Amino acid sequence: MTETQSSLPDLPSMATYGAAIAARLRAGDVVALTGGLGAGKTTLARAILAGLGHEGEVPSPTFTIIETYDSPPLRLAAVHADFYRLEDPAELAEIGLDDYREGAVLLAEWPDHAGGFAHEPGCLSITLEPVGESGEGGRIAIARGGADWVGRMP
């Protein structure tokens, strides 16, 4: 497993990092975003979607659990999921996650609530850690890529 660390001191750097990830994505990939409440998971997911060509608002899927984005206009179809409210990974079958994922990229917030995706070769796991007590120094992104990410890490 390959690991990189990136310093994201502000929103423009988060946007640049998201665009770099978007440029490397392939259908079937998962970007698993972890970090505490307010760590920047949704902000990074929005930056990745923008990098794929999405224009306009990106609602947080906290309550809907899944938001989908089509290709075109995006370079790749994308599924933005927030699994925070799941109580059991078995709920994924009820939601129909596998159907949504077909030919798409999955941006997964709180992936541990869904049983995790790190076992998938196309999974890029990103942990966002605040810099400073309240994150005033931005974030550090620790990215760990599965086997399919060798040679294309952000």
Side-chain angles (χ1 to χ4, degrees), residues 126-146:
I126 300 175
T127 301
L128 294 170
E129 296 181 351
V131 177
E133 261 182 59
S134 60
E136 66 276 0
R139 308 284 181 269
I140 298 290
I142 302 160
R144 294 176 187 90

Side-chain angles (χ1 to χ4, degrees), residues 14-52:
M14 183 83 81
T16 300
Y17 187 63
I21 293 167
R24 293 163 171 82
L25 285 173
R26 300 176 186 154
D29 283 345
V30 177
V31 180
L33 302 167
T34 59
L37 288 169
K41 297 178 295 296
T42 302
T43 302
L44 182 54
R46 287 176 174 140
I48 294 168
L49 287 166
L52 287 172

Side-chain angles (χ1 to χ4, degrees), residues 7-135:
S7 175
L8 307 172
D10 51 27
L11 285 174
S13 63
M14 183 83 81
T16 300
Y17 187 63
I21 293 167
R24 293 163 171 82
L25 285 173
R26 300 176 186 154
D29 283 345
V30 177
V31 180
L33 302 167
T34 59
L37 288 169
K41 297 178 295 296
T42 302
T43 302
L44 182 54
R46 287 176 174 140
I48 294 168
L49 287 166
L52 287 172
H54 181 73
E55 295 177 10
E57 291 296 309
V58 174
S60 172
T62 301
F63 296 103
T64 57
I65 301 179
I66 290 178
E67 293 285 338
T68 59
Y69 299 87
D70 295 331
S71 170
L74 271 60
R75 181 176 69 80
L76 293 167
V79 178
H80 181 196
D82 183 333
F83 299 121
Y84 183 76
R85 295 176 358 143
L86 289 189
E87 294 181 17
D88 187 312
E91 293 176 60
L92 292 177
E94 295 170 31
I95 294 168
L97 181 65
D98 288 344
D99 295 334
Y100 288 109
R101 288 186 63 185
E102 186 78 26
V105 170
L106 173 62
L107 307 178
E109 298 185 42
W110 301 96
D112 53 317
H113 290 225
F117 300 92
H119 62 280
E120 296 185 21
C123 183
L124 177 65
S125 298
I126 300 175
T127 301
L128 294 170
E129 296 181 351
V131 177
E133 261 182 59
S134 60

